[in-house]
Each structure stands twice: as C-alpha cells, then as structure tokens.
Amino acid sequence: MKLSPIQLLQSSVQQITVFSVDTEKPELSQPMLSTLDFQVLKEIQLNKQFWDDEPNAGTMKDRTYRVTLGIRTPEDKSFHQYRFEIVLTGVVVSMQEAFPQHSVEDMVFEYGLTLLFGIAREQLATTTARMSNGSCLLPTMNFMGEAAKPL
C-alpha cells in the first residue's frame, strides 16, 4: 500500500437536509437510478491561510485548496423515497509539486470531490437509517477527468 499524493486534511458538513417522500404520490416516488440527474455544485479555491499557524508549511501553501461538493435531488423528484441536499467542504493538499499529465489543481479537484462524495454517501446512509423509509445509499460516483477550470 502506498500513500496517496492527494490528502484530505479536514472536512466538514456545511448542510444536510433529508425529507422522506410520501410514497402515496407516485410522481414523487419515481426512482432516479436510471438517470441520476442530481443537481451538483463543485468548487475549488486556493486555501493558503490553512497553514498560517505552521511555520514549516513551505510550498504546501501553494498546493492546498478548499474543495466544495453539493448534491441534491431536484425538487420534483426523489431518490429511493427521499429528497435531500448535502453540502460538504474539505481542505485538500497535493503532496507532489507536479504531475505528469495534469495540473496540481485538477488533481486536487478530482480526488477532493471523490473523497467528499464518500463522506456524503456515509452521511446520507447514516441519516436515513433511522427514518421511516429505511436506509438510502447513494451509488458510487466517479469524478475522474473533472477539471478545476473549464477548458
């Protein structure tokens, strides 16, 4: 096993809202699994101030970012009898100064989103486990190829 060149230093849930959908209303209980049209927010910002109290941070400041991921169901749809909105942020750093085929920012964005999505899956499963419609688990998602800046 090898240490990943991208590390999640800190994460936090900014918002989590989950509603059970009334299964008596068929238009709200349609499964989304075939289309997965979640609404997604993805952001990245350089976060040099994370290292303000660390005198030996060096060039780590230039490779540390705040990544935000938000996922929600559209208001007129549900996912496994739930409507939800989850927003998470994380401080993500690249241990490497460069990558052969991608920018540091793109690598941090791609892997940061993937790590945050794992947290979102866990939060939704934990929250819904005690709700009347039962536990809901998001499918595994892939953020490979996400670019921090549009091409």
Side-chain angles (χ1 to χ4, degrees):
M1 196 166 14
K2 224 165 87 171
L3 184 65
S4 174
I6 307 296
Q7 293 291 315
L8 178 65
L9 301 177
Q10 157 183 329
S11 66
S12 60
V13 176
Q14 300 299 310
Q15 176 181 340
I16 184 164
T17 308
V18 182
F19 296 98
S20 293
V21 173
D22 183 2
T23 56
E24 298 298 315
K25 297 179 181 177
E27 70 277 5
L28 292 179
S29 62
Q30 298 296 320
M32 282 181 37
L33 194 53
S34 61
T35 59
L36 280 183
D37 57 350
F38 295 128
Q39 296 171 336
V40 181
L41 163 75
K42 299 174 281 191
E43 293 180 347
I44 185 169
Q45 298 174 333
L46 193 60
N47 191 13
K48 290 183 179 192
Q49 65 271 17
F50 180 80
W51 298 104
D52 283 350
D53 295 335
E54 181 61 50
N56 299 322
T59 61
M60 297 287 270
K61 289 183 177 189
D62 297 326
R63 301 188 314 265
T64 304
Y65 294 85
R66 181 174 187 250
V67 178
T68 302
L69 174 65
I71 303 166
R72 71 179 179 190
T73 54
E75 287 191 30
D76 60 338
K77 295 186 179 178
S78 67
F79 180 74
H80 292 280
Q81 301 175 330
Y82 290 103
R83 287 200 327 246
F84 63 88
E85 181 171 2
I86 302 171
V87 180
L88 303 119
T89 61
V91 176
V92 185
V93 66
S94 171
M95 304 305 284
Q96 291 180 203
E97 293 185 13
F99 293 91
Q101 297 181 359
H102 300 286
S103 70
V104 167
E105 187 176 19
D106 284 349
M107 291 294 286
V108 167
F109 194 47
E110 186 176 285
Y111 283 88
L113 291 172
T114 301
L115 291 166
L116 291 175
F117 188 79
I119 296 168
R121 288 183 82 216
E122 178 185 0
Q123 286 294 317
L124 185 62
T126 302
T127 302
T128 58
R130 295 186 181 260
M131 294 180 75
S132 60
N133 289 343
S135 185
C136 175
L137 185 63
L138 291 171
T140 304
M141 301 296 281
N142 179 339
F143 292 94
M144 297 306 181
E146 290 288 334
K149 296 177 183 149
L151 300 175

